[in-house]
């Protein structure tokens, strides 16, 4: 191969993912050169504490991330610091200067994606972010490129490994949420501060990114309805099991078409019961999987490691190769596609289905009183199971689809009926008609 100008890369951050990016870049240097048509070289690595990075070449380390980004010696910026500050400013500066960006930062993209895309468009730079959603799993490129000729109707998946590990363990052991979280922390799956994962913020950022790509519409984290897994109880898991279902934290992005043909999108993250026969039910531990439905392609499932240093670095490297190839070919990758600008539905208007488990007095007329509340709210019942005991009985109800607001009001009213001793479990149901 004749000598070509190397692509010079600034790496911002050298933690779990960054360390693996350096390793892969170094170990595969020759193969990457062949695949790209030019060598890729590290121009510098911005870190906070240089003495903590004995595993990477010392002469590359700097604490001046802004200086590295603005250096004339840098063509591409790879950001694996995370968070909004200082990453937002650093990446905007890079893009404004025409330097392509590869990032794993879902929080930044879900909040400020449009600013980044605008800066990329203005200068003609690339913005790639496959690692930001579902780690190693090729998902954003299929949505952005392979399925760009189809009409995607739904993206539903398990996009947070920590919560999936906790829910899988609760399902396997019957243990409660708090003790399972403790175990997940002990094993190193849950972080010291697990808030972003267990309260659904991480999954909501990913859902916003997925919905934006799937529906060609700007969707931010603030547009995503979010419930985490803190309130999922052993009783909820047991109720699910009793019905041949399991509980998963799902990110669901849907195209909703009103009876008058008006299109909108609904984007939500919440725990849901799915049948044990559903492909997502067998995704256990820290794995991720995403189910995509498109008009022409039909149903597809993407499965693999959604987190971890090496798997996430694999996605970063794939993006780096893509932007480097574009540079060699003097071309560009896909831009932001938000032309559809569909409105985002409030959760209350979104059609969902509920599973409700009640402890009720075991006397005549209870079922009809409960059923009357459903009728009053125009919520239709799909299945009822009643199990009598000596003094009281359990009543399990699964509804047909109704608006989330109608279902919530129904549950509130039922909880107040004198014949209902306790609302044992309420959970949305997904993955079946
Ligand atoms: N770890 C994963 O499994 C995973 C998976 C997918 C995406 N991501 C994303 O990748 C990014 C990095 O994650 P991570 O797990 O490697 O985090 P990490 O905390 O292990 O690494 C981040 C590094 O950035 C450094 N840093 C902080 N501020 C800096 C600054 N101003 N300049 C230079 N360095 C700075 C920190 O010292 C740390 O070493 C995040 O956006 C995260 O959401 C991580
Ligand atoms: N904390 C995230 C990391 C990957 O984005 C998870 O548990 O899935
Ligand atoms: Na990915």
């Amino acid at each position: 191969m004749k000598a070509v100008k190397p692509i010079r890369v600034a790496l911002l951050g050298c933690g779990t993912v960054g360390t693996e990016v350096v390793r892969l870049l170094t170990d595969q240097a020759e193969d990457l050169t062949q695949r790209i048509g030019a060598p890729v070289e590290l121009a510098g690595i911005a870190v906070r504490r240089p003495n903590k990075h004995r595993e990477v070449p010392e002469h590359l380390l700097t604490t001046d991330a802004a200086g590295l980004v603005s250096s004339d010696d840098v063509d591409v910026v790879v950001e694996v610091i995370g968070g909004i500050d200082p990453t937002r400013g650093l990446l905007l500066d890079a893009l404004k200067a025409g330097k392509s960006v590869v990032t794993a930062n879902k929080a930044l993209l879900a909040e400020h994606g449009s600013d980044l895309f605008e800066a990329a468009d203005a200068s003609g730079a690339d913005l790639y972010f496959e690692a930001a959603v579902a780690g190693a799993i090729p998902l954003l490129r299929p949505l952005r490129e392979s399925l760009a000729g189809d009409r995607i109707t739904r993206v539903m998946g398990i996009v947070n490994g920590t919560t999936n590990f906790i829910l899988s363990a609760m399902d396997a052991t019957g243990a409660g949420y708090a003790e399972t979280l403790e175990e997940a922390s002990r094993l190193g799956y849950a972080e010291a501060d697990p808030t972003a994962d267990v309260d659904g913020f991480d999954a909501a950022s990913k859902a916003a990114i997925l919905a934006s790509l799937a529906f060609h519409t700007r969707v931010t984290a603030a547009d995503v309805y979010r419930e985490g897994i803190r309130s999922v109880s052993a009783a909820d898991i047991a109720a699910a099991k009793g019905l041949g279902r399991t509980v998963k934290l799902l990110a669901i992005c849907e195209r909703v078409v009103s009876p008058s043909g008006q299109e909108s999108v609904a984007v939500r993250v919440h725990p849901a019961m799915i049948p044990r026969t559903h492909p997502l039910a067998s995704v256990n531990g820290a794995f991720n999987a995403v189910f995509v439905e498109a008009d022409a392609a039909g149903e597809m499932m993407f499965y693999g490691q959604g987190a971890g240093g090496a798997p996430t670095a694999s996605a970063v490297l794939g993006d780096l190769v893509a932007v480097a190839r574009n540079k060699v070919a003097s071309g560009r990758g896909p831009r932001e596609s938000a032309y559809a600008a569909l409105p985002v539905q409030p959760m209350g208007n979104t059609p969902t289905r509920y599973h409700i488990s009640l402890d009720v007095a075991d006397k005549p007329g209870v079922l009809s009183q409960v059923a009357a509340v459903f009728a009053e709210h125009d919520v239709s019942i799909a299945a009822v199971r009643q199990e009598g005991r000596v003094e009281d009985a359990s009543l399990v109800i699964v509804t047909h689809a109704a608006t989330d607001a109608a279902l919530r009001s129904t549950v509130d009213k039922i909880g107040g009926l004198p014949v209902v001793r306790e609302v044992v479990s309420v959970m949305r149901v997904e993955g079946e008609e």
Side-chain angles (χ1 to χ4, degrees), residues 106 131-132 134-135 159-163 189 191 197 202 206 288 306-308 312:
K106 56 246 168 180
V159 292
N160 183 268
T162 307
T163 49
Y189 284 98
E191 295 191 26
D197 292 317
D202 175 81
K206 292 165 175 168
N288 282 189
T312 308

Side-chain angles (χ1 to χ4, degrees), residues 67-111:
L68 179 61
V69 165
S70 65
S71 163
D72 288 341
D73 185 33
V74 165
D75 303 303
V76 175
V77 173
V78 173
E79 184 268 313
V80 281
I81 292 175
I84 309 296
D85 283 315
T87 52
R88 177 169 177 264
L90 290 169
L91 297 193
L92 282 173
D93 286 349
L95 292 166
K96 281 178 188 159
K99 298 174 186 183
S100 292
V101 163
V102 173
T103 176
N105 192 333
K106 56 246 168 180
L108 178 64
L109 287 160
E111 263 188 59

Side-chain angles (χ1 to χ4, degrees), residues 11-19 45-49 53 62-65 79-83 85-87 90 103-107 131-136 191 202 206 306-309 312 316:
L11 178 66
L12 310 184
C14 196
T16 307
V17 180
T19 308
I45 305 172
V47 296
R48 265 202 306 212
R49 286 178 291 271
H53 297 277
T62 173
T63 52
D64 181 11
E79 184 268 313
V80 281
I81 292 175
D85 283 315
T87 52
L90 290 169
T103 176
N105 192 333
K106 56 246 168 180
V133 184
E191 295 191 26
D202 175 81
K206 292 165 175 168
T312 308
V316 170

Side-chain angles (χ1 to χ4, degrees), residues 323-344:
V323 302
R325 281 175 175 160
N326 292 343
K327 234 183 145 38
V328 168
S330 301
R332 270 196 77 185
R335 298 153 195 230
E336 181 187 29
S337 174
Y339 73 91
L342 296 174
V344 182

Side-chain angles (χ1 to χ4, degrees), residues 163 197-201 226-232 249 269-271:
T163 49
D197 292 317
V198 300
D199 289 332
F201 291 101
R226 176 186 53 78
E227 270 177 38
I229 64 162
R230 277 185 208 268
S231 58
V232 176
L249 182 72
V269 167
H270 56 70

Side-chain angles (χ1 to χ4, degrees), residues 211-259:
S212 301
L213 298 182
F215 306 129
H216 304 274
T217 288
R218 281 184 182 167
V219 178
T220 67
D223 294 321
V224 181
Y225 174 82
R226 176 186 53 78
E227 270 177 38
I229 64 162
R230 277 185 208 268
S231 58
V232 176
S233 64
D236 292 326
I237 304 272
K241 270 189 167 173
L243 291 162
R245 297 185 170 98
T246 187
V247 177
K248 295 290 186 192
L249 182 72
L250 298 181
I252 304 169
C253 315
E254 288 169 312
R255 190 188 286 273
V256 181
V257 186
S258 75

